[in-house]
Amino acid sequence: MPELPEVETIRTYIDEKAAGRRIENMIIYLPRLIKNRSGDELKQALTGRRITGCSRKGKYLFLHTDGAMSLLIHLRMTGSLIYETGKGEEIRAQRIIFMLDTGRLIYRDIRTLGCLWLVPSVGLTGIQGYDTLGPDGNSPDFTAAYLYSKLKTTHRKIKPFLLDQTQVAGLGNIYVDEALFLAGLRPSRRCDAISKAAVQRLCEAIHTVLAEGLANGGTTVRNFIGGSGKEGQNQSHLRVYGREGKPCLACGTTIRYVKLAGRGTHYCPHCQR
DNA sequence: TAACACCTGTAA
DNA sequence: TTACAGGTGTTA
């Protein structure tokens, strides 16, 4: 479920449930998900450590421990984290289980595209995608002035630019389509051809759609996600994503679906220019 | 910058 | 059977 609002929803939940818990053992069903260590090395480094909290940057989760090393997690397409107490049913597609002093933390992932890394608890992680993240799209650092300075120097199309995590972190396919609709911009618009006024609208639109997603506990599409206890509610608030063939909520024009930069893309041909 | 690769599951 | 899916790193 992984764009910024979904990852942040999981972060809140995990921070609440797992902070203060001690890792007593680990069951690693799929060690290849751990990208920079063997399963045994991960187990060695984390067993006996206490989880001190969970933070997030972009779409990455950082599970902090009281030891020298901590755990960095990227959920990719279908990863999720679940905290369980008691016996419980076996969860489908569980890939790694952290047995805690109270309950257990389960990394679940249907498509197994997710990534976990053992990283230093302090300082740079050495993980390229993480260390090079741009400002979070919902942070005060992500301003219209920043965005304009980046856009004016590149001829890329705006949608792939916004998906580039080194420019702005946390946006994915859903929230980019939603933000471009709110800003009235075609996904194929060239970055250097967007006016200052439109950049202002786009910056505000990004803050708006991320805040909405967060307020609604994230977006849940395709029932197999679920995960962190409860599903999000933002799917019923989407304006264009998944609405191809349906009327635009603003003007009634049929929402169009095209492929852009390899991603399914939804827009209103009348409202977005 | 586009295609492909990594995977599994579901819907057309 | 095929296309597609909330992502991203590598390769042509």
Side-chain angles (χ1 to χ4, degrees), chain A residues 62-223:
Chain A
F62 203 133
L63 194 70
H64 303 272
T65 80
D66 61 359
M69 302 302 274
S70 290
L71 191 66
L72 188 65
I73 304 172
H74 196 299
L75 305 171
R76 286 290 201 273
M77 298 289 267
T78 55
S80 60
L81 283 171
I82 304 167
Y83 178 78
E84 285 263 320
T85 50
K87 284 263 183 219
E89 307 279 311
E90 175 146 324
I91 290 172
R92 194 167 64 116
Q94 54 186 18
R95 309 302 185 187
I96 297 176
I97 305 182
F98 302 85
M99 310 297 294
L100 308 177
D101 51 356
T102 305
R104 57 198 191 281
L105 186 61
I106 300 167
Y107 178 76
R108 175 175 186 259
D109 193 343
I110 303 237
R111 288 175 67 182
T112 72
L113 296 172
C115 305
L116 297 88
W117 301 266
L118 188 69
V119 297
S121 298
V122 181
L124 290 181
T125 64
I127 307 304
Q128 198 204 348
Y130 183 80
D131 290 338
T132 60
L133 286 171
D136 275 357
N138 67 340
S139 85
D141 295 344
F142 184 66
T143 62
Y146 166 83
L147 184 56
Y148 185 73
S149 72
K150 291 287 186 172
L151 291 178
K152 69 179 178 188
T153 61
T154 178
H155 192 57
R156 299 169 79 181
K157 293 174 179 172
I158 185 65
K159 173 158 179 173
F161 173 90
L162 293 175
L163 289 171
D164 181 345
Q165 303 296 301
T166 68
Q167 307 298 327
V168 49
L171 293 174
N173 209 32
I174 293 179
Y175 293 97
V176 163
D177 280 7
E178 293 297 307
L180 288 172
F181 173 78
L182 271 192
L185 290 168
R186 286 273 170 111
S188 56
R189 269 285 284 279
R190 299 288 172 176
C191 292
D192 54 6
I194 301 175
S195 71
K196 237 176 186 161
V199 172
Q200 179 71 45
R201 291 202 310 272
L202 178 57
C203 183
E204 285 170 16
I206 289 167
H207 282 280
T208 298
V209 297
L210 292 176
E212 285 178 354
L214 268 170
N216 292 315
T219 302
T220 302
V221 293
R222 284 176 296 283
N223 49 22

Side-chain angles (χ1 to χ4, degrees), chain A residues 210-242:
Chain A
L210 292 176
E212 285 178 354
L214 268 170
N216 292 315
T219 302
T220 302
V221 293
R222 284 176 296 283
N223 49 22
F224 64 79
I225 296 298
S228 72
K230 46 198 177 291
E231 300 185 342
Q233 295 301 130
N234 197 240
Q235 54 278 14
S236 52
H237 298 260
L238 298 178
R239 296 163 176 90
V240 286
Y241 185 88

